[in-house]
Amino acid sequence: MPDTPEVKAQSESVNARLATHLSDQKEAILHEFLNRLRRSTEIETDALTVPELRNHAPKIVDDLVRELRQYKNKDAAQQTSKDAAIHGATRWRQGFDLHGLLRECSQFRAIFIYHLRIFEETNPDFGFTERYFADATMHRILDDVTIDAAQQFLAIQRLEKPNEPG
């Protein structure tokens, strides 16, 4: 069987092809992320510059792509966790509240889900099982990012703002 691009593409896993799609769309994802943050009435971003808003978003996109390509690789998952925690800590220092951080994570998820749907529509050769696997994997990674960012945010909040006697 010849090694044509079509044969090679069909032999790739759904996660690998999704990772390539997301990597190819990275700048569009980041652009939409910044636009959504700036337009949001629930996230205070006026005092932040574009680099401050972008923060660790490019690394998190790269981490998600890496985790999709290296499914169940502990090193890839640990790097994602580390970058998400750094992001949560940075947002605390930038004056976000927990609501804002979670809304930001929600916006990020919405963008990824949009790109997942585009991927599914442009890759009809994958059946339900493969698409479901990619979907579940991506949601798990995004859940972990949200949890890790929020846990670090709350840990720093407790350290820097101890509870006052009530």
Side-chain angles (χ1 to χ4, degrees):
M1 185 189 257
D3 193 23
T4 64
E6 295 82 19
V7 171
K8 186 177 179 185
Q10 288 179 349
S11 67
E12 281 186 295
S13 74
V14 66
N15 278 3
R17 282 174 57 187
L18 176 57
T20 299
H21 170 79
L22 294 174
S23 182
D24 291 347
Q25 296 299 313
K26 179 179 175 180
E27 287 307 314
I29 289 167
L30 294 171
H31 181 74
E32 179 63 18
F33 176 67
L34 291 173
N35 283 340
R36 284 176 178 239
L37 291 182
R38 287 289 192 209
R39 288 191 318 254
S40 176
T41 58
E42 299 181 79
I43 305 170
E44 184 56 47
T45 62
D46 293 341
L48 298 175
T49 65
V50 169
E52 289 171 329
L53 272 180
R54 273 179 70 107
N55 186 263
H56 287 85
K59 284 184 179 181
I60 292 171
V61 173
D62 292 341
D63 291 341
L64 194 139
V65 166
R66 186 179 317 104
E67 273 201 73
L68 285 167
R69 284 198 174 113
Q70 301 174 12
Y71 182 69
K72 291 196 175 185
N73 179 303
K74 290 185 190 265
D75 292 336
Q78 286 174 341
Q79 186 62 51
T80 303
S81 178
K82 178 182 173 187
D83 289 336
I86 291 169
H87 182 75
T90 301
R91 288 304 192 225
W92 164 258
R93 289 185 186 96
Q94 289 174 331
F96 272 55
D97 59 11
L98 183 59
H99 175 83
L101 175 69
L102 295 175
R103 283 287 173 202
E104 177 187 43
C105 291
S106 175
Q107 293 294 336
F108 214 40
R109 178 185 298 271
I111 295 164
F112 276 108
I113 299 311
Y114 171 77
H115 283 277
L116 176 62
R117 296 301 168 245
I118 290 173
F119 170 79
E120 288 175 346
E121 288 178 16
T122 58
N123 288 276
D125 53 312
F126 286 118
F128 173 79
T129 303
E130 292 90 356
R131 288 193 319 264
Y132 179 77
F133 179 77
D135 190 66
T137 301
M138 193 153 84
H139 278 287
R140 181 196 49 79
I141 295 167
L142 291 168
D143 286 346
D144 290 346
V145 165
T146 302
I147 291 165
D148 292 336
Q151 283 179 328
Q152 185 65 29
F153 182 95
L154 291 171
I156 291 174
Q157 183 183 47
R158 282 189 298 273
L159 288 173
E160 294 185 9
K161 192 176 177 181
N163 291 336
E164 296 177 12

